Amino acid sequence: MLRQLQSSNERFKSITFKPGRNILIAEKTERSTDTDSRNGAGKSSLIEILHFLLGMRDLRGSVLKNSALQADTFTLRLDWPTATERVTVSRSLSKRSRVLLEPNVAAESALLETAGNATIPEWVAAIGRDLYAFPEEHGGVSARTLLSLYIRRISQRALDDPVRTYPTQSIADATTNAAYLLGLDWRLAAEYKQLAGRESLRRKLREAMKDPAFGLVVGTVSELRGQVASASVRTRDLEKQVAAFQVVPEYELLQFRADEIDARIRRMRTEDAADRRNLQDLRDSLRDEHEPDVSYLHRAYQELGVVLPDALLRHYDDVQAFHESVLSNRRSYLEEEITSTESRLEERQEERERLGSEQASLLRTLHDGGALDAFTGLQEQLSVARSELQTVTDRFETAKQLEATQAEIKFERSKLQQEISRDLVERESHITDINILFQRFTTALYGPGRDAYVDITALDTSLHISPHIGGENSQGIGKMVIFCFDLTCAVLAHRNGRGPDFLVHDSHLFDGVDERQVGEALKLAATVCGEEGIQYIATMNSDDLAKATPFDPSVRDDIIEPRLTDAYDDGGLFGFHFE
């Protein structure tokens, strides 16, 4: 229950709440208007302050946006289900990002007696965990959305619809949160939100695809599937290369030596070719070197009868001997050259074999590893490849979503609708209890005979939850549908530990409602508070309360202080007038 509301501004009129029914009265004067666009008595401002202290972030459209209040810090004391003492939450308009909690119920392993600051998300999470008993995973329901049902804001047009708390709220989101309070399968209802999100994305992407530039960026599934495969293969290959890469110290020196050996071997092959040609020439010359046969000269001179003198014969022998000596020297020279050439060939062959072995060893080392620069370059290539793979994968997923057919989404919706329909059949007795409670409340307001029920049906786009009171379709009946539905949700959630023990209604909820129904509604609220141990807080205009009092005289016993008025500049909730 809410216990006390205060402000750091001394002019602010502190409010102390009590268990059960609480009526905060604003005196009706001629200065009053139907809206809080200006600083009136402060009835709707109370709603804004409560939301601010319970984690509201956006102040657009709120009276708290006014610069005259920016120095104020508001404080609320309330009961807390997990704390033995009441919790005090304080929040400054000038420093809205954090709240001061005493004790700090938002802390994780909290020492509850210790005060502490908490961020707004932490505070809202604590509200969801402790006031609404959210499970660890509670996607689809929100503490802030549920608070908007318990404390409806006129500035957000939360009184326009029983289930929605602002006009642009999706029906899937609204019914998921209502389903949580009513004890229905809210997780199934939340799946509608996911399908709605997919459908919305598909429509947006389909619309964007009409832009040629965007279509070129995204591509088609068939094209991108091949690109993803190619990018995956390249990335895997580079990953293997990086994993197997061994950095070789002094890689460049080893590479220079290998190149040097290769050049040497090439030069030796050229030299061998030249020597082999020379060797062949030398061998041919050696084979052709022999003394010409001159014995026929003696026979020729004898046959001619020519007798050569002895001196001439001796000179001929000397010439022959000289000639034989020249031939012998020539052969010796050729043989030496042949031996020398063969020796060079053998030496180069040995050197080539030695260099070949060294080169093979160097090449194996260079093949198995590489330089540090090469390794760094390989890693950069891998990084680029991974980035390209991620990009093309994202495009592929986007393209798949884009090309997801409406039929596929429609099929999933139909499947979900059937699943929820089966669930509703299984919960038939619980749905009956919901309707019995709602009918009891509507009967208290309008008497028996009214056709009243909560229509709960699985549609193809959302879980349909629609409270209904038969009769003339008037503004007053519409407001009382909201009153009875809020009371139904609050009672069922509190009974099952899924909701807090307070419900707050702004005076605008009673606008256009017959005084009889206003009186009966306030009487019903008091009765339910006594039965269920919950607290009901309503702001009322004095004239509306006066009209309703004959139908519930006890209502005046539950009027709480202060009595607000805009007849004087200091008569309102804030204690001073501002525009």
Side-chain angles (χ1 to χ4, degrees), residues 417-430:
Q417 183 181 7
Q418 293 176 17
E419 192 172 355
I420 293 181
S421 295
R422 286 194 296 270
D423 179 74
L424 293 178
V425 170
E426 294 173 358
R427 296 173 189 266
E428 189 63 40
S429 62
H430 180 66

Side-chain angles (χ1 to χ4, degrees), residues 113-298:
E113 67 275 11
T114 304
N117 288 306
T119 64
I120 299 305
E122 291 171 344
W123 172 224
V124 172
I127 292 172
R129 181 194 63 210
D130 294 341
L131 295 189
Y132 291 101
F134 281 172
E136 191 70 24
E137 297 293 333
H138 56 273
V141 293
S142 153
R144 286 296 313 150
T145 300
L146 293 176
L147 281 169
S148 295
L149 286 169
Y150 276 74
I151 311 174
R152 292 179 182 264
R153 299 173 64 198
I154 186 65
S155 61
Q156 297 298 307
R157 298 175 59 185
L159 299 178
D160 292 359
D161 187 276
V163 179
R164 285 176 167 165
T165 55
Y166 54 93
T168 57
Q169 183 181 20
S170 74
I171 191 63
D173 178 62
T175 55
T176 297
N177 283 276
Y180 181 82
L181 297 176
L182 293 172
L184 304 174
D185 193 333
W186 55 275
R187 295 183 190 277
L188 282 177
E191 293 184 21
Y192 281 116
K193 292 177 61 178
Q194 299 175 5
L195 289 176
R198 288 180 54 191
E199 175 63 20
S200 175
L201 177 62
R202 192 194 69 83
R203 283 200 298 268
K204 291 178 180 176
L205 291 174
R206 178 63 67 185
E207 190 66 25
M209 278 295 290
K210 295 177 182 177
D211 185 335
F214 185 83
L216 184 63
V217 170
V218 174
T220 65
V221 170
S222 58
E223 293 172 348
L224 293 170
R225 183 178 286 111
Q227 294 181 25
V228 169
S230 175
S232 299
V233 169
R234 172 168 169 72
T235 302
R236 284 197 299 271
D237 289 345
L238 286 171
E239 287 174 343
K240 291 178 181 176
Q241 292 179 38
V242 169
F245 196 94
Q246 296 180 8
V247 177
V248 177
E250 299 180 341
Y251 183 90
E252 289 77 9
L253 292 178
L254 296 181
Q255 190 173 38
F256 177 78
R257 175 59 181 162
D259 293 342
E260 189 178 51
I261 291 174
D262 182 69
R264 174 60 183 150
I265 291 175
R266 290 176 185 274
R267 285 197 304 273
M268 284 193 294
R269 286 173 179 164
T270 302
E271 293 170 357
D272 282 358
D275 279 347
R276 286 194 183 93
R277 285 195 300 272
N278 293 333
L279 183 62
Q280 185 61 41
D281 291 342
L282 290 170
R283 285 173 176 168
D284 291 343
S285 298
L286 182 63
R287 184 179 58 252
D288 295 337
E289 289 295 336
H290 55 84
E291 185 180 0
D293 185 8
V294 295
S295 59
Y296 69 93
L297 291 175
H298 289 283

Side-chain angles (χ1 to χ4, degrees), residues 338-353:
I338 289 172
T339 302
S340 175
T341 302
E342 289 175 342
S343 178
R344 288 199 303 275
L345 287 171
E346 290 176 358
E347 290 174 355
R348 281 200 291 270
Q349 177 64 27
E350 292 175 357
E351 184 181 2
R352 189 163 51 248
E353 291 176 354

Side-chain angles (χ1 to χ4, degrees), residues 66-110:
N66 196 293
S67 58
L69 303 174
Q70 297 312 299
D72 293 0
T73 296
F74 297 99
T75 300
L76 174 68
R77 296 185 69 204
L78 70 163
D79 296 339
W80 200 260
T82 61
T84 56
E85 59 183 290
R86 289 167 184 165
V87 171
T88 300
V89 54
S90 300
R91 189 180 181 190
S92 169
L93 279 168
S94 61
K95 298 178 180 177
R96 301 200 296 266
S97 61
R98 303 185 76 85
V99 295
L100 174 63
L101 296 173
E102 301 177 76
N104 187 1
V105 292
E108 292 183 3
S109 65

Side-chain angles (χ1 to χ4, degrees), residues 318-444:
D318 292 340
V319 171
Q320 186 175 13
F322 172 76
H323 183 68
E324 290 175 354
S325 172
V326 170
L327 287 178
S328 176
N329 291 337
R330 170 70 176 170
R331 289 194 186 94
S332 296
Y333 166 76
L334 292 174
E335 288 172 352
E336 289 176 357
E337 284 297 313
I338 289 172
T339 302
S340 175
T341 302
E342 289 175 342
S343 178
R344 288 199 303 275
L345 287 171
E346 290 176 358
E347 290 174 355
R348 281 200 291 270
Q349 177 64 27
E350 292 175 357
E351 184 181 2
R352 189 163 51 248
E353 291 176 354
R354 179 180 58 79
L355 292 175
S357 299
E358 183 182 357
Q359 185 185 40
S361 176
L362 288 171
L363 292 178
R364 281 196 299 273
T365 302
L366 294 172
H367 178 269
D368 294 340
L372 180 59
D373 291 344
F375 182 67
T376 303
L378 197 60
Q379 286 183 316
E380 290 175 353
Q381 291 180 40
L382 176 59
S383 178
V384 172
R386 283 173 172 166
S387 176
E388 292 176 348
L389 174 60
Q390 185 61 49
T391 299
V392 75
T393 301
D394 291 343
R395 291 171 57 198
F396 180 57
E397 294 300 325
T398 301
K400 283 199 298 184
Q401 289 182 347
L402 180 62
E403 294 185 11
T405 63
Q406 179 66 28
E408 179 184 345
I409 297 176
K410 186 176 181 180
F411 170 76
E412 293 187 23
R413 280 181 170 162
S414 176
K415 182 180 175 182
L416 179 59
Q417 183 181 7
Q418 293 176 17
E419 192 172 355
I420 293 181
S421 295
R422 286 194 296 270
D423 179 74
L424 293 178
V425 170
E426 294 173 358
R427 296 173 189 266
E428 189 63 40
S429 62
H430 180 66
I431 295 174
T432 300
D433 291 341
I434 294 173
N435 277 283
I436 289 173
L437 189 61
F438 183 75
Q439 288 168 2
R440 176 199 162 192
F441 295 159
T442 59
T443 300

